[in-house]
Structures are given as C-alpha cells and as structure tokens.
Amino acid sequence: MSKKGLLLCVCQGTCPSFQDMDTFEVLNTLRRENIFEWVGLHPQLCAEDGDRYLRELLKGADIDELYVAACDPVMQRKMYRDAFDAVGFDREKHIGIEIRNMNTEQVINEIKKAVNEREDSEE
C-alpha cells in the first residue's frame, strides 16, 4: 500500500467557494480513518510562500503520493510544478482534487473517491 499525504488549501479561508466546508472536520475525519500518513492545511498554496511550503514539506517526505484538495487540478499542476521539480518530487505522484463549492461531507467523499480511483487504477 502506498504512503499518502493530504494537503488542504482553502484560498485564504475567505473565498466563498469554501464557506460550506468545516476545514478541521474534513482533516480530522480523514486523519482518524488512517487513509493518509499525514494531513495538513495551507491557506494559499498558489502564493509564493506556498511554493516554499511545498518544497520544505516534500524535501525529505517519505510519501508515494501527495493529494491536494483545493482548486482545479489542472491549475494545481501548473502552480506546483516548480516546487515539485526543485525537490525532485515526481509530478505524477500529485493528485489534485477539486473541492470548491462543496460542503464538509461532499469534500470528505470527494477525497476518498480520488484515493479509491487511484488505488483501483494501480491494481
């Protein structure tokens, strides 16, 4: 079984797209279910300090996959590629999950769905 990390990015916590989600309930639910090695939160990964955060986090990370629940996965790939490349993290190990305009339960289910789909595709 692959080791997975989860980052939740909430667009500074002020974007209306994330208002129906209880951030800490999402993280705690997934942490308690042991789906991920670790869960984390960043207010704005697309900002300059987000790149630094990703580089530091992934520099010595012992994970096989990084799930990022945030905005559009295509945008994520473009925004995070420099940070991934800087530390030699394989871009294919990044799984972006769109969670805008969802409530807490929908976000949890969307993240679990992404994990299950990834695991099914590796069998």
Side-chain angles (χ1 to χ4, degrees), residues 20-61:
D20 292 335
M21 173 185 67
D22 181 334
T23 303
F24 294 103
E25 184 59 30
V26 170
L27 293 172
N28 276 318
T29 297
L30 296 167
R31 178 187 62 81
R32 285 191 301 264
E33 293 184 17
N34 293 315
I35 296 170
F36 298 94
E37 295 296 307
W38 48 259
V39 298
L41 172 67
H42 193 278
Q44 193 176 20
L45 283 171
C46 64
E48 191 174 320
D49 71 309
D51 258 13
R52 286 194 307 271
Y53 180 81
L54 282 172
R55 286 193 308 268
E56 287 301 315
L57 181 71
L58 296 172
K59 199 180 291 185

